[in-house]
């Protein structure tokens, strides 16, 4: 799957959530239920509203705090709130990563340490919920059968004028936002205002989308339109997402970064935790452990990671943080893989996710997700019976989609 962001009006946290939920309308109920099970459920209420500005139709995403008032929070407070919220580990990791990006940018602007940063606008409950919702949606997209998604983004509108903040009036784009968007392409459509908000910039920096729309020829599967709350003269203030699927049988070639190192002085229990945390980092595609014999005849573990090239600096820092290694190796590698299609198949009362690929010789292979087979009662024999039956059955018509 490939998701292309078209920031026609701009990018903000609520616009990003609205656009993805407009592309997958049935997903809002799952997001709402997921956040309701966390500590955030008691302090914010989420809503998705159909919206039409007289030009385009789409969705708006709204967060309503349970208590009135604006809350200024330190970066440490935000980290503590997220850690205590009860989010699933992958979602927590993405939300923490986005706020870390914001804290680093604010620290650089003000010449202080990230730990000293005080969040004002982005410390409010609605901004917290926007970032957590974005983290949940990104994780859902990347957890789809068929492998992690890729992202791209069209040039961003530069905007203009000034924006009022707790630090006084600031030129647009605000300094911290501009730092987060270094390296992104911009254009000027002649309309002023803050077109990319700090939370929108943090989401983009976290995703690290490519500027090139499509890595290979792909099929447009769906689109979504997310409205912002501001009105722009003569145009719709929307972020549009285009969701593409790669036809089965397509051979994908891409350059990835391989990071590897050996560890001989970290306990297996702690290293297992470290590997899982590395696997959850944005841009990481796979992490494996291999037993090796290191210097002085010591038994050691070699850790190998594959990640997107733009994620390599963050991944390298995480390797040093999570493990005892003092050095590692990095090299660019070429990966060749088959495109996969994803769908759901019915087996009795179970809905099972299936990955399907077409081999270069024309043969079609299917694989049922093991996480779904885990719910089949009757032990190994029952699971094998269901797996073989589903994998031998052709996909049930073109009308079946990858909706969850």
């Amino acid at each position: 799957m490939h998701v292309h962001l078209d920031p026609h009006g701009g990018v903000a946290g609520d616009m990003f959530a609205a656009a993805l939920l407009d592309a997958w309308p049935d997903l809002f109920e799952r997001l709402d239920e997921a956040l309701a099970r966390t500590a955030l459920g008691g302090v914010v209420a989420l809503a998705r509203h159909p919206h039409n500005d007289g030009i385009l139709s789409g969705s708006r995403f709204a967060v309503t705090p349970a208590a009135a008032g604006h809350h200024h929070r330190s970066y440490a407070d935000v980290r503590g709130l997220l850690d205590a919220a009860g989010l699933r580990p992958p979602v927590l990791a993405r939300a923490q990563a986005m706020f870390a990006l914001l804290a680093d940018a604010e620290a650089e602007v003000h010449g202080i340490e990230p730990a000293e940063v005080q969040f004002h606008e982005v410390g409010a409950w609605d901004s917290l919920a926007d970032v957590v919702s974005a983290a949940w949606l990104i994780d859902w997209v990347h957890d789809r059968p068929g492998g992690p998604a890729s992202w791209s983004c069209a040039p961003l509108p530069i905007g203009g004028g000034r924006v009022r903040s707790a630090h006084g009036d600031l030129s647009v784009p605000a300094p911290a936002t501009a730092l987060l968007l270094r390296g992104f392409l911009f254009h000027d459509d002649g309309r002023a205002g803050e077109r990319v908000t700090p939370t929108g910039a943090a989401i983009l920096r976290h995703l690290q989308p490519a500027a090139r729309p499509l890595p290979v020829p792909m099929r447009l599967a769906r689109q979504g339109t997310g409205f912002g709350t501001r009105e722009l003269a003569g145009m719709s203030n929307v972020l549009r997402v285009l969701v593409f699927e790669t036809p089965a049988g397509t051979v994908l070639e891409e350059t990835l970064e391989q990071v590897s190192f050996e560890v001989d002085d970290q306990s297996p229990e702690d290293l297992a935790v470290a590997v899982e945390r590395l696997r959850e980092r944005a841009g990481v595609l796979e992490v494996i452990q291999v037993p090796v014999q290191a210097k002085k005849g010591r038994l050691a573990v070699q850790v190998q990671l594959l990640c997107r090239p733009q994620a390599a600096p963050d991944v390298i820092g995480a390797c040093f943080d999570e493990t005892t290694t003092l050095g590692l190796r990095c090299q660019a590698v070429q990966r060749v893989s088959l495109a996969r299609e994803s769908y759901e198949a019915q087996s009795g009362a179970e809905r099972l996710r299936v990955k399907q690929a077409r081999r270069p010789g024309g043969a079609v292979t299917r694989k049922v997700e093991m996480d779904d087979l885990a719910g089949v009662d009757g032990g190994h024999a029952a699971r094998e019976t269901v797996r073989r039956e589903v994998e031998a059955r052709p996909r049930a018509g073109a009308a079946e989609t990858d909706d969850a």
Side-chain angles (χ1 to χ4, degrees):
M1 182 192 303
H2 180 83
V3 184
H4 180 65
L5 305 175
D6 176 18
H8 182 70
V11 184
D14 61 335
M15 296 170 73
F16 180 84
L20 288 179
L21 291 171
D22 195 58
W24 286 281
D26 296 340
L27 200 56
F28 173 76
E29 186 174 341
R30 294 173 60 179
L31 168 64
D32 192 37
E33 290 176 353
L35 263 65
R37 292 193 295 268
T38 72
L40 294 174
V43 292
V44 297
L46 308 183
R48 171 187 168 266
H49 304 294
H51 186 70
N52 189 313
D53 67 350
I55 303 173
L56 298 175
S57 61
S59 296
R60 269 185 171 165
F61 180 73
V63 177
T64 305
H70 187 78
H71 297 283
H72 296 221
R73 293 184 172 88
S74 69
Y75 175 43
D77 289 339
V78 170
R79 287 189 62 85
L81 284 170
L82 292 175
D83 283 338
L87 300 168
R88 289 195 306 111
V91 177
L92 173 62
R94 291 186 183 278
Q96 292 284 28
M98 290 184 217
F99 275 106
L101 289 168
L102 285 164
D104 289 343
E106 291 285 353
E108 186 172 344
V109 166
H110 299 295
I112 58 177
E113 293 297 319
E116 302 175 64
V117 166
Q118 296 289 321
F119 287 132
H120 300 285
E121 291 79 7
V122 299
W125 281 118
D126 54 348
S127 294
L128 279 165
D130 283 344
V131 170
V132 170
S133 297
W136 190 93
L137 290 164
I138 293 168
D139 184 69
W140 181 86
V141 169
H142 280 262
D143 199 36
R144 303 290 288 160
S150 57
W151 300 76
S152 59
C153 185
L156 302 165
I158 189 69
R162 290 179 172 81
V163 61
R164 190 174 299 278
S165 77
H167 302 288
D169 289 353
L170 298 173
S171 296
V172 171
T177 301
L179 283 177
L180 288 169
L181 297 176
R182 279 185 295 200
F184 282 77
L185 298 177
F186 282 85
H187 72 98
D188 185 1
D189 62 9
R191 293 172 176 83
E194 185 180 41
R195 307 292 293 279
V196 182
T197 68
T199 53
I203 291 169
L204 290 175
R205 176 56 63 186
H206 176 70
L207 289 174
Q208 298 180 333
R212 186 171 53 141
L214 295 177
V216 294
M218 304 181 90
R219 178 177 60 243
L220 180 62
R222 61 182 70 228
Q223 66 174 323
T225 303
F227 280 88
T229 55
R230 293 181 62 246
E231 293 185 2
L232 299 174
M235 68 179 289
S236 297
N237 182 24
V238 297
L239 170 66
R240 185 174 61 149
V241 299
L242 301 175
V243 181
F244 295 88
E245 294 176 347
T246 308
T250 302
V251 176
L252 307 175
E253 297 184 18
E254 57 186 330
T255 300
L256 301 174
E257 193 77 12
Q258 184 183 69
V259 181
S260 60
F261 56 91
E262 287 76 44
V263 173
D264 63 4
D265 58 350
Q266 189 168 358
S267 72
E269 295 92 344
D270 190 63
L271 184 57
V273 172
V275 167
E276 283 307 305
R277 289 186 175 179
L278 290 173
R279 186 174 283 116
E280 292 165 358
R281 304 292 294 196
V284 172
L285 303 180
E286 187 53 275
V287 186
I288 63 172
Q289 301 179 64
V290 181
V292 296
Q293 184 169 324
K295 61 184 179 181
K296 300 181 181 180
R298 296 173 182 169
L299 291 177
V301 173
Q302 184 180 84
V303 179
Q304 299 177 10
L305 299 92
L306 276 182
C307 66
R308 305 286 181 193
Q310 60 268 34
D314 175 68
V315 171
I316 290 170
C319 289
F320 285 124
D321 286 339
E322 296 290 348
T323 74
T324 59
T325 187
L326 298 177
L328 42 77
R329 298 172 297 279
C330 304
Q331 61 178 331
V333 296
Q334 293 298 117
R335 182 173 75 163
V336 180
S337 59
L338 292 177
R340 285 146 284 183
E341 291 183 318
S342 304
Y343 63 95
E344 290 187 347
Q346 192 78 33
S347 178
E350 301 288 337
R351 293 284 291 178
L352 305 174
R353 293 172 296 168
V354 183
K355 290 185 289 191
Q356 175 175 289
R358 186 177 299 277
R359 305 287 166 174
V364 175
T365 57
R366 304 178 186 90
K367 178 69 175 178
V368 178
E369 289 290 325
M370 191 62 210
D371 286 347
D372 293 353
L373 283 174
V376 175
D377 294 328
H380 168 72
R383 292 192 296 270
E384 277 295 291
T385 299
V386 172
R387 181 186 66 78
R388 290 173 181 170
E389 185 271 327
V390 172
E391 291 176 358
R393 186 199 317 162
R395 183 174 180 175
E400 190 172 4
T401 71
D402 66 345
D403 284 336

